[in-house]
Amino acid sequence: MPDQSIRTPWHLWAVGGVLTAFNALGAFDYVMSVSQGEDYFRSSGMTDAQVAYFSSVPIWATAAWTISVWAGLFGGVLLMLRHKLAPLMLAFCVLGTAAYAFYTLVLSEGREAMGALWFMPLLVTVLTTLAAAYSSAMAKRGVLR
């Protein structure tokens, strides 16, 4: 039985809150992209080339993005709930994020389509990896139950 006397460190709330908020924005973007597609892309200020690129992402890359977004959101919430499944959810988030980044930066013309923000898939991959490592460390310290 887990030790109930282990206190929740303040940084768990900070990391979990930022992670949840960030992934909630990602979830909003996901829902709008999937439900409204080109209309949402255009309302976001995308160019014709960007709309064409994001409208033609293959299903496997979209599946990776789906896993990334929803596992990240659930992982953030589970972290704040101190649930032991947070590291697993965040590991799935890392896998989905890395797969999508690989598609975007290596297998497609994503770098060109993203313009000045081409580095974002790399940055998000690094940040989700750090969040997964953090949640694993919290689990090893007995903070998650």
Side-chain angles (χ1 to χ4, degrees):
M1 177 128 121
D3 182 0
Q4 298 298 327
S5 66
I6 296 176
R7 295 184 52 117
T8 305
W10 68 268
H11 46 80
L12 184 130
W13 302 115
V15 171
V18 168
L19 188 60
T20 301
F22 176 77
N23 283 293
L25 291 172
F28 173 79
D29 182 61
Y30 176 88
V31 168
M32 296 303 288
S33 295
V34 170
S35 66
Q36 295 184 8
E38 186 175 332
D39 291 337
Y40 174 66
F41 298 150
R42 291 196 185 285
S43 72
S44 298
M46 288 187 182
T47 65
D48 288 341
Q50 290 170 322
V51 169
Y53 173 78
F54 286 106
S55 296
S56 65
V57 173
I59 191 73
W60 72 266
T62 301
W65 178 40
T66 303
I67 291 166
S68 171
V69 167
W70 297 107
L73 181 60
F74 295 140
V77 170
L78 289 172
L79 183 62
M80 289 194 304
L81 293 174
R82 294 178 54 188
H83 198 283
K84 64 183 176 184
L85 288 179
L88 178 63
M89 278 293 116
L90 293 171
F92 280 123
C93 177
V94 170
L95 291 174
T97 303
Y100 188 77
F102 185 74
Y103 166 74
T104 302
L105 299 175
V106 177
L107 300 179
S108 72
E109 302 299 320
R111 185 173 297 179
E112 292 79 16
M114 295 184 79
L117 296 177
W118 70 267
F119 64 91
M120 287 304 289
L122 290 176
L123 179 61
V124 173
T125 302
V126 168
L127 293 176
T128 57
T129 301
L130 291 172
Y134 174 83
S135 70
S136 291
M138 290 296 99
K140 288 177 184 161
R141 283 183 47 195
V143 175
L144 306 184
R145 50 184 192 268

